[in-house]
Amino acid sequence: MAVKIEDSWKKQLEAEFEKDYFRELTAFVKRAYEQKRIYPPGSLIFSAFDHCPFDDLKVVIVGQDPYHGPGQANGLCFSVSDGVRHPPSLQNIFKEIQSDIEKPIPQSGNLERWADQGVLLLNATLTVEASKAGSHQNKGWEAFTDAVLEVVSREKENVVFVLWGAYAQKKGAFIDDSKHLILKSPHPSPFSAHSGFFGSKPFSKTNQYLTSKGLTSINW
């Protein structure tokens, strides 16, 4: 089955694309885009992979669902397109960056600049119906993104996995912490950011680990 995804990822995941669940998922997603308003735009479903080839990957940040408001979702977790108001979780992420590494809050919430440096911004579910949070959960995306995390854990070394909140931590439970760094904290959502996300310093900790392994740090 032809899936339009960056070549190095296609090579790693080709067996997944042939599985029954993925064929059913593809049919579901295709039908959804034909019948309803779905985010992100179809061409951006695999944007996280296209901006961060497997061979360049250094950091994985796990999100849950794409944003379901107009013009927000661009295929990267927590990211919004240029000119779109920063959602609350992203505002809190930028506040923590400002506190952690003393970097000013950027005007653009488009995190392609991170992805292009080797940060895989992976939502557990890659599509969603407009105004219906969680509407594409339990359709097969979670099995696919579990496979993504599994192949990264197995095939690479010295990757930083950033798991914010209980959902991401459960999803990343099988990551091999003997060869990777796993950073856990509460979610940056306004409901939980003050319970330990603020002050968790994930950005400086990530860069310290990468440089200790002889890798280039991320310009957050």
Side-chain angles (χ1 to χ4, degrees):
M1 181 164 41
V3 175
K4 291 182 179 174
I5 192 171
E6 190 274 335
D7 284 346
S8 63
W9 282 107
K10 188 174 248 183
K11 187 177 169 187
Q12 293 292 337
L13 297 168
E14 57 189 350
E16 216 60 27
F17 300 139
E18 299 301 326
K19 291 181 179 177
D20 287 344
Y21 88 85
F22 196 86
R23 293 177 191 275
E24 291 167 14
L25 171 64
T26 303
F28 165 78
V29 170
K30 189 173 181 225
R31 197 164 56 246
Y33 273 92
E34 287 168 355
Q35 296 174 355
K36 299 171 181 175
R37 180 167 292 178
I38 305 299
Y39 299 126
S43 61
L44 299 181
I45 291 173
F46 293 113
S47 189
F49 303 90
D50 296 335
H51 280 277
C52 178
F54 185 81
D55 301 337
D56 300 339
L57 182 151
K58 295 187 278 190
V59 181
V60 180
I61 298 178
V62 177
Q64 190 163 355
D65 244 16
Y67 296 121
H68 56 267
Q72 290 181 304
N74 65 359
L76 311 176
C77 72
F78 297 107
S79 172
V80 290
S81 300
D82 292 322
V84 176
R85 189 168 172 266
H86 301 173
S89 291
L90 184 58
Q91 290 178 30
N92 287 338
I93 288 168
F94 286 156
K95 284 178 188 172
E96 178 62 16
I97 288 175
Q98 187 179 40
S99 159
D100 183 8
I101 56 175
E102 299 180 351
K103 188 167 183 180
I105 290 174
Q107 288 193 319
S108 173
N110 192 335
L111 303 182
E112 287 177 3
R113 60 184 180 272
W114 294 3
D116 291 336
Q117 298 177 74
V119 181
L120 181 67
L121 294 159
L122 181 69
N123 273 318
T125 305
L126 299 191
T127 54
V128 69
E129 186 178 342
S131 305
K132 291 189 178 179
S135 49
H136 285 190
Q137 290 176 6
N138 303 315
K139 303 294 185 185
W141 278 130
E142 294 91 342
F144 173 70
T145 50
D146 279 350
V148 171
L149 293 174
E150 202 172 335
V151 76
V152 172
S153 178
R154 186 179 69 243
E155 299 296 331
K156 294 187 75 75
E157 291 182 0
N158 305 328
V159 172
V160 182
F161 289 86
V162 181
L163 307 177
W164 290 328
Y167 182 90
Q169 288 162 27
K170 187 177 177 186
K171 191 168 181 68
F174 58 82
I175 295 163
D176 185 349
D177 62 1
S178 69
K179 54 193 266 205
H180 303 291
L181 176 65
I182 302 173
L183 296 177
K184 299 178 182 179
S185 82
H187 195 276
S189 147
F191 300 107
S192 54
H194 289 280
S195 303
F197 172 75
F198 289 134
S200 61
K201 300 186 179 297
F203 306 101
S204 59
K205 287 176 181 175
T206 293
N207 281 348
Q208 285 162 8
Y209 179 81
L210 292 174
T211 53
S212 77
K213 300 297 182 182
L215 300 165
T216 314
S217 60
I218 306 297
N219 178 7
W220 300 106

